[in-house]
Amino acid sequence: MAEPQRIVIVGTGLAGAAAAGALRDRDYGGQITMFGTEHHRPYELPALSKDVLLGKANEPAWVHEASFYADNEIDLKLGVSVLELRPDDHSFVDSDGAVRSYDRLLLATGSRPRVLPGAQGHVLRTIDDSLALKSTLHEGRHVVIVGAGWIGCEVASAARTHGCRVTVIDPLTQPLVRVLGTEMGVMFRGLHEEHGVEFKLGTGVAGFSPSGVRLEDGTELMPDVTVLAVGATPRLELAEAAGLELTDGGVAVDAALRTSAPDVFAAGDIAAHDHPRYGHRIRVEHWANAKDQGTHVAGSLLGLDDPYLKSPYFFTDQYDLGMEYRGLADPDDELVVRGDLASRQFIAFWLRDGRLRAAMNVNVWDHGTALQALVDAQATVTPAQLRDADLGSLV
């Protein structure tokens, strides 16, 4: 397969920027053009709900230095979106009205915050969102957070650190229960309650007004600040209009991240990836997935057929709790805890049919390599081994 002369990347988030950098690392000498709706150069998202909200940083972690794109002859078109993709003739239309051609194209359009009907309040997806929310977090103000997922919990942590009064609303019974299950949800709830967060769980939002939030149980809240943290929606409009196959909430891609259209690839939040390790499609909306798929897809854009094999990974920092999660488990899988749950210094494992599906280390930092190897191998282990054996010996 001949090397493409023109590669277009739609999206200037982490996945797109990682792909552009990896293409140059592979000595690709053709044209690289990136299109993005934001006016900031590519940056990473984790700091937006952590260091930026905490006041430890006034800007995100940039994927590359400002000079990187010009130095590497990457045409970075900020504030210019792609309006229409035409796979049949390898062309597209941008928001400047230009019709352009490509040899290969990467869709890395990411996600947008999900909103509730009639909702009024802050969302958190961009550096501008984060700085705007940070400016409201003053001591004594009442912050209501709708959603007890990762973003909701991290915003709660930051708001309490600034001395705000915090109420978190979620229709589920515990925070983070969809990912971690009830027992781990109870642990995170206890962490936040010890820091003064009030939870209103098991009830949803019935409506919003300019001055308040009304819950389904009849409670009326009158916050100073409202934050909507109810998840994200992948940006699929361009792919759908172009006739690409969609499935499992994303753009269907094969093991090498190719879409159903010739010479069109997808990576990051939008990619519903046919993962060889799991034997089915998965779609992951975390930082590591965007970075790693972006790096990997560079090879696919250049004609390689290597499958993307990495296990999902994500992390969080809340108060004095740091956590890393590796793998892909169902919250109803068998839970095994190694260490002291009460002190929040432990490793949690999820087993299915005797095989390790995921591991989460909480304030324990000595076993990352072993945990990664065990999760990648979907190791056959017993609960007793996970609780007591040398983890390195199980690899």
Side-chain angles (χ1 to χ4, degrees):
M1 184 179 293
E3 183 174 280
Q5 296 303 302
R6 297 163 299 179
I7 291 179
V8 168
I9 298 172
V10 184
T12 52
L14 177 55
L23 284 166
R24 290 302 188 222
D25 287 343
R26 289 176 175 269
D27 296 324
Y28 171 65
Q31 297 177 12
I32 302 175
T33 307
M34 300 180 67
F35 291 82
T37 57
E38 283 198 65
H39 292 274
H40 303 287
R41 74 179 188 271
Y43 57 88
E44 302 182 7
L45 299 184
L48 304 188
S49 58
K50 300 177 179 70
D51 284 356
V52 174
L53 277 193
L54 289 167
K56 296 179 179 179
N58 291 319
E59 59 183 31
W62 305 104
V63 181
H64 300 112
E65 295 294 331
S67 61
F68 174 86
Y69 302 95
D71 290 347
N72 287 275
E73 297 183 337
I74 296 169
D75 188 1
L76 186 59
K77 295 186 179 297
L78 299 177
V80 183
S81 56
V82 173
L83 301 181
E84 182 183 359
L85 175 60
R86 301 169 177 173
D88 289 345
D89 65 359
H90 285 58
S91 70
F92 61 95
V93 181
D94 68 27
S95 56
D96 288 336
V99 179
R100 303 174 181 270
S101 298
Y102 65 87
D103 294 319
R104 298 204 182 115
L105 181 142
L106 171 63
L107 287 173
T109 47
S111 299
R112 62 170 61 86
R114 185 175 289 117
V115 296
L116 299 174
Q120 302 181 48
H122 290 264
V123 295
L124 185 55
R125 187 69 189 182
T126 69
I127 181 58
D128 296 326
D129 293 338
S130 185
L131 291 172
L133 177 56
K134 164 63 173 60
S135 71
T136 71
L137 300 180
H138 304 307
E139 186 169 358
R141 303 194 85 187
H142 184 198
V143 179
V144 166
I145 301 168
V146 183
W150 296 112
I151 295 298
C153 286
E154 290 181 357
V155 171
S157 174
R160 284 298 299 141
T161 301
H162 288 293
C164 300
R165 175 187 164 206
V166 176
T167 304
V168 178
I169 304 163
D170 199 289
L172 300 179
T173 57
Q174 300 295 338
L176 303 168
V177 69
R178 281 196 179 99
V179 179
L180 302 180
T182 298
E183 188 170 353
M184 290 297 113
V186 169
M187 186 275 295
F188 273 97
R189 178 178 180 174
L191 169 72
H192 282 272
E193 289 179 334
E194 286 180 14
H195 285 83
V197 173
E198 179 185 6
F199 283 93
K200 292 190 176 296
L201 301 173
T203 184
V205 173
F208 295 85
S209 70
S211 58
V213 180
R214 186 175 73 258
L215 305 187
E216 292 173 344
D217 65 4
T219 303
E220 294 273 356
L221 300 174
M222 307 293 284
D224 300 299
V225 181
T226 302
V227 182
L228 307 171
V230 291
T233 302
R235 296 178 181 268
L236 301 178
E237 297 85 356
L238 190 63
E240 183 175 18
L244 273 61
E245 180 186 352
L246 306 181
T247 187
D248 298 295
V251 179
V253 296
D254 67 9
L257 303 174
R258 291 179 293 242
T259 74
S260 59
D263 299 318
V264 178
F265 301 76
D269 290 6
I270 67 169
H273 170 231
D274 190 4
H275 201 301
R277 174 168 292 130
Y278 299 106
H280 58 81
R281 294 189 185 278
I282 67 171
R283 191 177 68 81
V284 180
E285 295 180 354
H286 293 298
W287 161 82
N289 186 69
K291 176 176 67 71
D292 293 338
Q293 282 193 351
T295 300
H296 185 91
V297 79
S300 301
L301 286 161
L302 297 179
L304 301 180
D305 197 35
D306 299 334
Y308 179 78
L309 296 173
K310 289 199 172 185
S311 303
Y313 167 92
F314 62 90
F315 71 98
T316 190
D317 295 302
Q318 299 172 36
Y319 312 107
D320 57 354
L321 182 148
M323 179 277 279
E324 296 176 309
Y325 179 105
R326 297 169 172 85
L328 185 67
D330 187 289
D332 293 328
D333 289 339
E334 181 183 3
L335 175 65
V336 179
V337 175
R338 176 191 182 108
D340 186 5
L341 191 63
S343 68
R344 304 189 187 100
Q345 191 168 3
F346 63 90
I347 304 173
F349 301 92
W350 283 265
L351 287 169
R352 187 185 310 166
D353 299 326
R355 299 182 71 88
L356 184 63
R357 304 293 293 183
M360 180 178 77
N361 52 297
V362 175
N363 289 340
V364 173
W365 308 110
D366 298 333
H367 303 290
T369 300
L371 292 174
Q372 190 68 59
L374 288 168
V375 167
D376 287 347
Q378 297 185 27
T380 300
V381 287
T382 67
Q385 288 175 312
L386 293 175
R387 291 189 188 100
D388 301 319
D390 173 41
L391 294 178
S393 71
L394 301 178
V395 176

